[in-house]
Amino acid sequence: SMAAAPALKPLVAVAQVTSTPDKEQNFSACAGLVREAAQRGAGLVFLPEAFDFIGRDATQTLSMAEPLDGDLMGRYAQLARDCGIWLSLGGFHERGHDWDTTQRIYNCHAVLDHDGRLVAAYRKTHLCDVELEGRVSMRESSFTNPGTEVVAPVPTPAGKLGLSICYDLRFPELSLALRRAGAEILTFPSAFTFHTGSAHWEVLLRARAIETQCYVVAAAQTGQNHERRVSYGHTLVVDPWGAVVAQCREGPGLCYAEIDLQYLHRVRREIPVFSHRRHDLYGTVEAAGLVPAP
């Protein structure tokens, strides 16, 4: 008898963009990439942190932020419906329920399904307060509230997606907790600076993939966002063995990767690190409210 044809592996598209303070221009650029990805057959598109805009300063950023039920997210929901595609919107400047009292925003990673429904929203828990003398000065906590919970991995057509944002990459505990809760793909939508990106970006992403045995998807900002801001770029996808399987060139664009969950499970079987952990010696890495996967 004829062997059954192998099942098609889900295709994901990962976007690299140069957001500016011009929201309209940013939406037009991102929407163009989403449509292109849908035409190529991707089922899920990843956009980077600050896909909506990158403001020149905290005052401008706060003035341009919107709630999740505002105009911009409505347009992305319509885009998802029009294209029949899932969207990982990797870092939205969100005016949350407490905007009136705090006058601060959340850095929110929103996931929309192909009907445009909001299926998950993770608010960045580690805020980037970094001071590299004479090179980089960032104080995200001066205008952003930290999120208060880790979000359970989201079932998508490509696999179970663990949500985080940019600076979260430096905290392996979060990735390990998401893996323990069943994640198969970890995503780190980012706007890394050139100094930190050239030193740490790829090695941290590959480390997270190797230690969790997950796919790692990292959409990134690239190039000159405004007069005082340049982003590192180097959007990439890493497989559960730690190999870079897709990467963007310079400038805005897309890269594509197949998500092979059979391969992921083989890697986990062959080096079963999660059953070798010595919880008796150093505890378990769990997130409050998340249920360990069977």
Side-chain angles (χ1 to χ4, degrees):
S1 66
M2 300 226 357
L8 282 175
K9 300 179 188 82
L11 185 71
V12 301
V14 195
Q16 181 161 282
V17 304
T18 307
S19 291
T20 70
D22 184 334
K23 286 167 86 169
E24 204 52 50
Q25 181 186 306
N26 299 335
F27 178 75
S28 173
C30 289
L33 292 174
V34 169
R35 290 192 186 98
E36 184 183 328
Q39 285 173 342
R40 286 281 299 271
L44 171 58
V45 183
F46 294 84
L47 292 177
E49 183 181 35
F51 67 94
D52 50 354
F53 64 88
I54 290 184
R56 290 185 176 86
D57 54 39
T59 305
Q60 184 180 49
T61 299
L62 291 170
S63 73
M64 292 167 69
E66 296 185 22
L68 274 179
D69 58 2
D71 172 66
L72 187 66
M73 288 299 285
R75 293 167 76 182
Y76 274 99
Q78 187 62 51
L79 180 65
R81 282 193 292 277
D82 290 347
C83 293
I85 203 165
W86 283 60
L87 297 177
S88 157
L89 302 172
F92 175 72
H93 296 87
E94 181 204 3
R95 289 190 180 186
H97 57 90
D98 54 5
W99 166 253
D100 289 338
T101 52
T102 69
Q103 295 291 295
R104 288 163 178 256
I105 55 174
Y106 291 91
N107 189 338
C108 177
H109 184 163
V111 179
L112 305 180
D113 70 11
H114 56 69
D115 292 320
R117 281 187 301 246
L118 179 71
V119 293
Y122 162 76
R123 291 163 183 93
K124 189 177 185 181
T125 49
H126 303 98
L127 300 182
C128 187
D129 288 1
V130 171
E131 201 68 50
L132 303 184
E133 206 173 315
R135 291 172 292 164
V136 176
S137 177
M138 297 185 78
R139 191 132 325 262
E140 191 175 15
S141 67
S142 67
F143 60 93
T144 306
N145 292 314
T148 57
E149 58 184 5
V150 179
V151 171
V154 186
T156 78
K160 290 188 183 130
L161 185 62
L163 305 182
S164 50
I165 302 172
C166 198
Y167 191 59
D168 288 331
L169 173 60
R170 294 184 180 274
F171 302 89
E173 298 88 348
L174 177 58
S175 296
L176 291 166
L178 287 167
R179 158 71 207 268
R180 189 168 156 77
E184 295 163 321
I185 305 166
L186 299 176
T187 181
F188 295 98
S190 294
F192 256 66
T193 68
F194 201 87
H195 285 290
T196 56
S198 52
H200 300 153
W201 173 248
E202 183 177 314
V203 71
L204 282 173
L205 291 166
R206 294 180 69 192
R208 294 300 84 87
I210 293 164
E211 71 205 3
T212 63
Q213 300 171 315
C214 288
Y215 279 90
V216 164
V217 177
Q221 291 283 340
T222 187
Q224 191 92 36
N225 304 107
H226 53 69
E227 310 79 58
R228 297 196 306 280
R229 163 90 207 188
V230 177
S231 296
Y232 179 62
H234 294 77
T235 289
L236 52 80
V237 181
V238 187
D239 76 11
W241 187 250
V244 176
V245 293
Q247 191 158 2
C248 283
R249 289 187 284 246
E250 291 299 305
L254 291 163
C255 62
Y256 296 87
E258 288 183 332
I259 302 297
D260 186 345
L261 294 181
Q262 273 187 309
Y263 177 63
L264 175 143
H265 293 301
R266 192 182 109 199
V267 168
R268 293 181 179 185
R269 269 197 317 275
E270 290 178 348
I271 308 182
V273 287
F274 269 67
S275 62
H276 292 158
R277 289 191 178 281
R278 290 294 303 270
H279 301 307
D280 56 320
L281 298 180
Y282 44 73
T284 58
V285 180
E286 291 185 88
L290 264 58
V291 180

